Amino acid sequence: MLEGAGRLAEAAGALAERVAGGREALAGYGETLSHWSGRLVARPTADELMTALVALISETEAAQARNRLLEVQLAASAEHIGTLHRDLVEARRAAATDALTGLANRTTFDRFLRESVARTRADTGSTFSLILLDIDHFKGLNDRHGHRFGDQVLRLVGRLLSDKTTDRDLAARYGGEEFAIVLGEAGIGTGVALAQEICGRLRAQRLVKRGTGDVVGQVTISAGVAQCRPGEAARDVIERADRALYEAKRTGRDRVCPTPKAAVA
């Protein structure tokens, strides 16, 4: 990404140089016009008029040629800069995204969670909920059906999470078969309801292996939900949501467990 930014800066510098060169050429043309204007103030002879005419025509043609070249160069530079800018935007997006699922990656999640915690500290009326989700028996799915099918399941969960979040939220691949949602301006009740909806939608899917058409059947997911408490750190929110997720796993999987009510301010 730094390399892309460097190329963009170089292209912008080259464009500035071309514009500066065009400005200098235009100034030189102006000096030529001023020179002949001064010489033609007095009564010139026919030879002087012809000499001035030839010189002015030559300078004008040269100026026109320079302008045409500059227009071509500027158009090429603008196109090059546009391409570099698009590449830089894509590089930034790729650096923040999990390649398999299209969700935010762990680095982006960590930063977003810290920012969300900071907002709750700055505004005591602000809150959010954190949902941690884990695909049930994922290792067994990989062992029985292969890693390609495992990737298919991960992409499916990624789409479910993406469909159920808005611009104020963040859905991320937390690691391996684990996922996370930072649900902006939402209490634990809203977080639990969303997690239950995601679990239900995945449960209702009947997955078919691509390539073979074999019906695999049901895949489920478990979730733990915690609401951010005033003054706590990001790691504390994660720890409470993780404990709730462990409880969901311990008590049978394919379910959602919130943190205990006493832990929510």
Side-chain angles (χ1 to χ4, degrees):
M1 191 158 56
L2 291 176
E3 182 182 352
R7 290 200 301 268
L8 187 59
E10 289 177 3
L15 178 60
E17 289 178 3
R18 289 190 177 115
V19 171
R23 189 183 302 116
E24 292 174 2
L26 184 60
Y29 181 55
E31 291 174 1
T32 299
L33 294 179
S34 297
H35 168 75
W36 285 108
S37 175
R39 291 187 59 177
L40 294 177
V41 170
R43 294 181 179 180
T45 64
D47 287 342
E48 289 174 333
L49 283 173
M50 183 58 67
T51 300
L53 181 61
V54 170
L56 289 173
I57 290 174
S58 176
E59 286 296 326
T60 300
E61 289 176 345
Q64 289 175 336
R66 286 194 298 270
N67 286 341
R68 286 193 295 270
L69 177 60
L70 181 60
E71 287 176 1
V72 172
Q73 291 175 334
L74 291 178
S77 293
E79 183 177 355
H80 182 48
I81 288 175
T83 299
L84 290 176
H85 179 261
R86 289 190 294 273
D87 290 345
L88 185 59
V89 170
E90 176 59 25
R92 285 176 175 168
R93 187 202 65 78
T97 304
D98 174 64
L100 180 64
T101 64
L103 299 178
N105 59 22
R106 178 63 181 270
T107 300
T108 304
F109 166 79
D110 288 340
R111 182 175 62 250
F112 190 89
L113 183 63
R114 288 194 302 268
E115 292 170 351
S116 299
V117 168
R119 278 194 297 272
T120 65
R121 290 177 177 172
D123 179 5
T124 55
S126 177
T127 190
F128 68 89
S129 287
L130 173 64
I131 307 171
L132 292 183
L133 309 100
D134 186 272
I135 300 172
D136 296 327
H137 304 296
F138 185 73
K139 183 179 184 302
L141 288 174
N142 270 333
D143 291 343
R144 289 193 304 275
H145 305 291
H147 289 282
R148 289 185 62 184
F149 177 74
D151 289 348
Q152 182 182 337
V153 173
L154 292 171
R155 283 191 290 265
L156 171 61
V157 174
R159 287 195 298 272
L160 291 178
L161 270 60
S162 181
D163 289 345
K164 289 300 177 181
T165 50
T166 66
D167 291 341
R168 68 182 180 185
D169 312 320
L170 182 81
R173 186 177 180 190
Y174 191 68
E177 67 272 22
E178 289 187 280
F179 295 83
I181 299 175
V182 180
L183 205 58
E185 297 304 321
I188 196 166
T190 302
V192 169
L194 177 61
Q196 288 174 337
E197 184 177 357
I198 291 170
C199 289
R201 288 190 61 184
L202 183 60
R203 187 188 310 118
Q205 299 283 334
R206 290 298 179 269
L207 299 184
V208 177
K209 291 178 66 174
R210 292 176 180 171
T212 66
D214 295 339
V215 177
V216 174
Q218 193 178 69
V219 175
T220 61
I221 196 167
S222 300
V225 186
Q227 181 178 335
C228 181
R229 291 163 32 179
E232 72 177 340
R235 64 178 178 274
D236 299 324
V237 189
I238 293 175
E239 183 179 343
R240 292 192 295 109
D242 194 52
R243 286 202 303 266
L245 173 59
Y246 175 80
E247 185 65 12
K249 293 284 190 181
R250 188 186 68 80
T251 55
R253 305 177 190 268
D254 187 23
R255 64 188 61 202
V256 177
C257 283
T259 52
K261 291 183 179 180
V264 180

